[in-house]
Amino acid sequence: MKEIADIIKAHAQARKDGKKTALATVVKVEGSSYRRPGARMLITEDGILTGAISGGCLEGDALRKALSAIHQQENKLVTYDSMDEDDAKFGVQLGCNGIVYILFEPIFDDQEVNPITILAELESKRKNAALAVLFSLEGKKQIGTYMLLRQHDQFKNKENDYFPSLFDDLQKVLAEKKSTFLDYNAGKELITAFLEFISPPIALIIAGAGNDAQPLANIADVLGWNVTIADGRQTHATSQRFPKANQILVTKPGQLLPQITIDDHTAFVLMTHNYNYDLELLHLLLLTNAPYIGSLGPKKKLIRMLDELNLNTAENQSRVHGPIGLDIGAETAEEIAISIIAEIKAVLSGASAGRLKEKIAPIHVHHIRTN
């Protein structure tokens, strides 16, 4: 989501400056590639790039293709084949062994609905969404970013609707929370749809406004997470100390949760260094469906809190991450922050947090549903 948010901001600035833009989207990959389907990049007519569609090897040629799409005012699908020994035919040298299909869409700002306005809808509500991008691997009909579906609403392009089953297919993506590829017939042409599942950014609620919370908030902001700082001390919970936070709450534990919306992407970190504050908040959190609760400090502290709450069960010991973080040998506040961020990401992604070199399956295979 951070890449999409950055693209939306960059487009707003380009529109303000009167610059034409195009959106590049990785819509399909065969073999290995640095970026996977759903990676996006905004290109302005004067060469400013926001986002990324590769590790840097495609961006130069992508600029030329984007300018061509802007000049001709039509969507274009470009194939980059690094398995072909003659990489020089498209002017780049790829480091991965795969085929990457990238769709270039010029943005027409005078249109009420365009790829950017559809993407912008993702930020309007904090809900899971399914996005359809339609393209043709063999034909010329490159429809592009077409429809966004959430649980109770949809937002789509004004292109003629050739695909009566698309709505139901997007609903299935929402239900299964997995992206997929499907083919549709549009007259005599076969259209491929990349149906992408997109979840809202992680909401990180940091209970504690000490110095060690600052790098945690800063790193989370770099990742595009929504950061809330909560503390009972007015001198600590300030915008001067946490300029990147989305929300700062000077509050007691019992007043915090009514001000927070908890969903499947919400993480709480207890690091106030105030035992009674953490104890009361932990009690309240265990009554919620919060998917991640982490407690800074030794295991014996967590056990003591659970004992005092008469909630020391195997289930609660498993549910609460204490000591918080992954074992990376962290010592400094910044290293501990990285450890915490990594564990939260792994837990909410359902990942093992193991070493990638020991993973047998492809790194990104869990993102795509096979049919």
Side-chain angles (χ1 to χ4, degrees), residues 315-341:
E315 179 183 357
N316 284 335
Q317 285 194 36
S318 175
R319 183 182 178 192
V320 182
H321 300 267
I324 194 172
L326 299 182
D327 184 7
I328 61 172
E331 294 289 345
T332 67
E334 290 76 13
E335 292 170 347
I336 293 171
I338 292 173
S339 167
I340 294 172
I341 290 286

Short mmCIF file of all heavy atoms in Angstrom, two decimals, residues 315-341:
data_model
loop_
_atom_site.label_atom_id
_atom_site.label_comp_id
_atom_site.label_asym_id
_atom_site.label_seq_id
_atom_site.Cartn_x
_atom_site.Cartn_y
_atom_site.Cartn_z
N GLU A 315 -3.07 -20.65 25.95
CA GLU A 315 -3.57 -19.88 24.81
C GLU A 315 -3.09 -18.43 24.87
O GLU A 315 -2.63 -17.87 23.87
CB GLU A 315 -5.09 -19.92 24.77
CG GLU A 315 -5.69 -19.13 23.61
CD GLU A 315 -7.21 -19.14 23.63
OE1 GLU A 315 -7.80 -19.81 24.51
OE2 GLU A 315 -7.81 -18.47 22.76
N ASN A 316 -3.18 -17.82 26.04
CA ASN A 316 -2.76 -16.43 26.17
C ASN A 316 -1.25 -16.27 26.09
O ASN A 316 -0.75 -15.28 25.55
CB ASN A 316 -3.28 -15.83 27.48
CG ASN A 316 -4.77 -15.50 27.42
OD1 ASN A 316 -5.31 -15.27 26.35
ND2 ASN A 316 -5.42 -15.50 28.58
N GLN A 317 -0.51 -17.23 26.63
CA GLN A 317 0.94 -17.19 26.49
C GLN A 317 1.35 -17.28 25.03
O GLN A 317 2.31 -16.66 24.59
CB GLN A 317 1.60 -18.31 27.30
CG GLN A 317 1.63 -18.09 28.78
CD GLN A 317 2.57 -19.04 29.49
OE1 GLN A 317 3.63 -19.38 28.95
NE2 GLN A 317 2.21 -19.45 30.69
N SER A 318 0.59 -18.06 24.26
CA SER A 318 0.88 -18.18 22.84
C SER A 318 0.45 -16.93 22.08
O SER A 318 1.12 -16.50 21.14
CB SER A 318 0.15 -19.40 22.27
OG SER A 318 0.31 -19.49 20.87
N ARG A 319 -0.65 -16.34 22.51
CA ARG A 319 -1.20 -15.20 21.79
C ARG A 319 -0.35 -13.94 21.98
O ARG A 319 -0.17 -13.18 21.03
CB ARG A 319 -2.63 -14.93 22.26
CG ARG A 319 -3.30 -13.80 21.52
CD ARG A 319 -4.69 -13.51 22.04
NE ARG A 319 -5.26 -12.38 21.32
CZ ARG A 319 -6.35 -11.74 21.70
NH1 ARG A 319 -7.01 -12.12 22.78
NH2 ARG A 319 -6.80 -10.71 20.98
N VAL A 320 0.14 -13.71 23.19
CA VAL A 320 0.91 -12.52 23.47
C VAL A 320 2.38 -12.77 23.17
O VAL A 320 2.96 -13.75 23.66
CB VAL A 320 0.74 -12.07 24.94
CG1 VAL A 320 1.53 -10.78 25.18
CG2 VAL A 320 -0.72 -11.86 25.26
N HIS A 321 2.97 -11.90 22.38
CA HIS A 321 4.38 -12.05 22.00
C HIS A 321 5.25 -11.33 23.03
O HIS A 321 5.39 -10.11 23.02
CB HIS A 321 4.60 -11.49 20.59
CG HIS A 321 3.78 -12.18 19.57
ND1 HIS A 321 4.23 -13.26 18.84
CD2 HIS A 321 2.49 -11.98 19.17
CE1 HIS A 321 3.28 -13.68 18.02
NE2 HIS A 321 2.21 -12.91 18.21
N GLY A 322 5.78 -12.12 23.94
CA GLY A 322 6.63 -11.55 24.98
C GLY A 322 7.66 -12.59 25.43
O GLY A 322 7.25 -13.68 25.83
N PRO A 323 8.94 -12.31 25.31
CA PRO A 323 9.49 -11.03 24.83
C PRO A 323 9.14 -10.78 23.36
O PRO A 323 9.09 -11.70 22.55
CB PRO A 323 11.00 -11.19 25.00
CG PRO A 323 11.17 -12.36 25.93
CD PRO A 323 10.00 -13.25 25.70
N ILE A 324 8.93 -9.55 23.04
CA ILE A 324 8.52 -9.16 21.70
C ILE A 324 9.70 -9.20 20.74
O ILE A 324 10.85 -8.97 21.14
CB ILE A 324 7.90 -7.74 21.73
CG1 ILE A 324 7.16 -7.43 20.44
CG2 ILE A 324 8.95 -6.69 22.05
CD1 ILE A 324 6.38 -6.13 20.50
N GLY A 325 9.43 -9.51 19.48
CA GLY A 325 10.46 -9.40 18.44
C GLY A 325 11.08 -10.73 18.04
O GLY A 325 10.88 -11.76 18.68
N LEU A 326 11.84 -10.68 16.96
CA LEU A 326 12.59 -11.84 16.47
C LEU A 326 14.01 -11.81 17.04
O LEU A 326 14.55 -10.75 17.35
CB LEU A 326 12.66 -11.82 14.94
CG LEU A 326 11.33 -11.87 14.19
CD1 LEU A 326 11.58 -11.91 12.68
CD2 LEU A 326 10.50 -13.08 14.63
N ASP A 327 14.59 -12.98 17.16
CA ASP A 327 15.94 -13.11 17.71
C ASP A 327 16.97 -12.79 16.63
O ASP A 327 17.40 -13.66 15.88
CB ASP A 327 16.14 -14.53 18.25
CG ASP A 327 17.50 -14.71 18.92
OD1 ASP A 327 18.22 -13.69 19.08
OD2 ASP A 327 17.84 -15.85 19.27
N ILE A 328 17.36 -11.52 16.55
CA ILE A 328 18.37 -11.10 15.58
C ILE A 328 19.61 -10.55 16.27
O ILE A 328 20.46 -9.93 15.63
CB ILE A 328 17.81 -10.06 14.59
CG1 ILE A 328 17.36 -8.79 15.34
CG2 ILE A 328 16.66 -10.64 13.77
CD1 ILE A 328 16.97 -7.64 14.42
N GLY A 329 19.67 -10.76 17.57
CA GLY A 329 20.81 -10.23 18.32
C GLY A 329 20.70 -8.73 18.57
O GLY A 329 21.73 -8.05 18.71
N ALA A 330 19.50 -8.21 18.64
CA ALA A 330 19.29 -6.77 18.80
C ALA A 330 19.72 -6.29 20.18
O ALA A 330 19.44 -6.94 21.19
CB ALA A 330 17.82 -6.43 18.56
N GLU A 331 20.38 -5.14 20.21
CA GLU A 331 20.82 -4.53 21.46
C GLU A 331 20.32 -3.08 21.58
O GLU A 331 19.79 -2.69 22.60
CB GLU A 331 22.35 -4.56 21.56
CG GLU A 331 22.94 -5.96 21.66
CD GLU A 331 22.67 -6.63 23.00
OE1 GLU A 331 22.28 -5.92 23.94
OE2 GLU A 331 22.83 -7.86 23.10
N THR A 332 20.51 -2.28 20.54
CA THR A 332 20.13 -0.88 20.59
C THR A 332 18.64 -0.71 20.33
O THR A 332 17.96 -1.63 19.86
CB THR A 332 20.91 -0.07 19.54
OG1 THR A 332 20.48 -0.49 18.23
CG2 THR A 332 22.41 -0.29 19.67
N ALA A 333 18.13 0.48 20.63
CA ALA A 333 16.71 0.76 20.41
C ALA A 333 16.33 0.58 18.94
O ALA A 333 15.26 0.07 18.62
CB ALA A 333 16.37 2.17 20.88
N GLU A 334 17.24 0.99 18.05
CA GLU A 334 16.96 0.87 16.62
C GLU A 334 16.94 -0.60 16.19
O GLU A 334 16.08 -1.01 15.40
CB GLU A 334 18.02 1.63 15.82
CG GLU A 334 17.94 3.15 15.94
CD GLU A 334 18.49 3.68 17.26
OE1 GLU A 334 19.16 2.90 17.98
OE2 GLU A 334 18.27 4.87 17.56
N GLU A 335 17.86 -1.39 16.71
CA GLU A 335 17.89 -2.82 16.36
C GLU A 335 16.67 -3.54 16.93
O GLU A 335 16.07 -4.41 16.27
CB GLU A 335 19.17 -3.45 16.90
CG GLU A 335 20.43 -2.97 16.20
CD GLU A 335 21.70 -3.42 16.89
OE1 GLU A 335 21.62 -3.89 18.05
OE2 GLU A 335 22.78 -3.28 16.29
N ILE A 336 16.29 -3.18 18.15
CA ILE A 336 15.09 -3.78 18.74
C ILE A 336 13.85 -3.42 17.93
O ILE A 336 12.96 -4.24 17.72
CB ILE A 336 14.95 -3.33 20.21
CG1 ILE A 336 16.09 -3.92 21.05
CG2 ILE A 336 13.60 -3.75 20.78
CD1 ILE A 336 16.17 -3.35 22.45
N ALA A 337 13.81 -2.18 17.44
CA ALA A 337 12.67 -1.76 16.61
C ALA A 337 12.57 -2.61 15.35
O ALA A 337 11.48 -3.04 14.95
CB ALA A 337 12.81 -0.28 16.25
N ILE A 338 13.71 -2.88 14.72
CA ILE A 338 13.72 -3.73 13.52
C ILE A 338 13.21 -5.13 13.87
O ILE A 338 12.43 -5.73 13.13
CB ILE A 338 15.13 -3.80 12.92
CG1 ILE A 338 15.53 -2.44 12.35
CG2 ILE A 338 15.21 -4.88 11.85
CD1 ILE A 338 16.96 -2.36 11.90
N SER A 339 13.65 -5.65 15.01
CA SER A 339 13.23 -6.96 15.46
C SER A 339 11.72 -7.02 15.67
O SER A 339 11.05 -7.98 15.27
CB SER A 339 13.95 -7.31 16.77
OG SER A 339 13.38 -8.43 17.40
N ILE A 340 11.16 -5.98 16.28
CA ILE A 340 9.71 -5.91 16.53
C ILE A 340 8.94 -5.80 15.23
O ILE A 340 7.95 -6.51 15.00
CB ILE A 340 9.39 -4.73 17.47
CG1 ILE A 340 10.00 -4.96 18.85
CG2 ILE A 340 7.87 -4.52 17.57
CD1 ILE A 340 9.89 -3.75 19.77
N ILE A 341 9.38 -4.90 14.37
CA ILE A 341 8.70 -4.69 13.08
C ILE A 341 8.69 -5.99 12.27
O ILE A 341 7.67 -6.36 11.67
CB ILE A 341 9.42 -3.58 12.28
CG1 ILE A 341 9.20 -2.21 12.92
CG2 ILE A 341 8.97 -3.58 10.82
CD1 ILE A 341 7.81 -1.64 12.74
#
